[in-house]
Amino acid sequence: MSACTVDEKMTVKEVIADLKVAPSTFYRWRQLGKGPRAIKLPNGDVRIRRSEYERWLTEREDAA
């Protein structure tokens, strides 16, 4: 995996499609501080670094 791929910025739509969860679930996790760390853009859009998403998933695996 290249460094470019690792730091790719994912949209919320891409994350929820990958996780197969409802948008409301993802936003509830964010509100509770249980979602992956995200970047809030000046226009209000949210992006998640792929590396952060993968780290967050691995952490969930350990907690399962």
Side-chain angles (χ1 to χ4, degrees):
M1 194 180 316
S2 72
C4 182
T5 305
V6 171
D7 268 350
E8 172 191 359
K9 306 327 178 264
M10 300 174 71
T11 64
V12 171
K13 191 174 181 178
E14 291 171 328
V15 172
I16 63 175
D18 189 59
L19 292 173
K20 297 176 177 65
V21 298
S24 58
T25 300
F26 178 80
Y27 285 111
R28 187 173 66 247
W29 290 343
R30 277 189 37 85
Q31 200 171 32
L32 296 171
K34 295 184 178 210
R37 287 179 47 212
I39 302 162
K40 190 164 187 179
L41 302 177
N43 66 358
D45 285 355
V46 174
R47 297 290 184 273
I48 297 96
R49 290 182 198 275
R50 182 166 293 281
S51 57
E52 166 57 17
Y53 177 61
E54 296 296 336
R55 181 206 62 77
W56 179 79
L57 280 179
T58 300
E59 198 174 87
R60 304 282 76 71
E61 228 173 69
D62 293 345

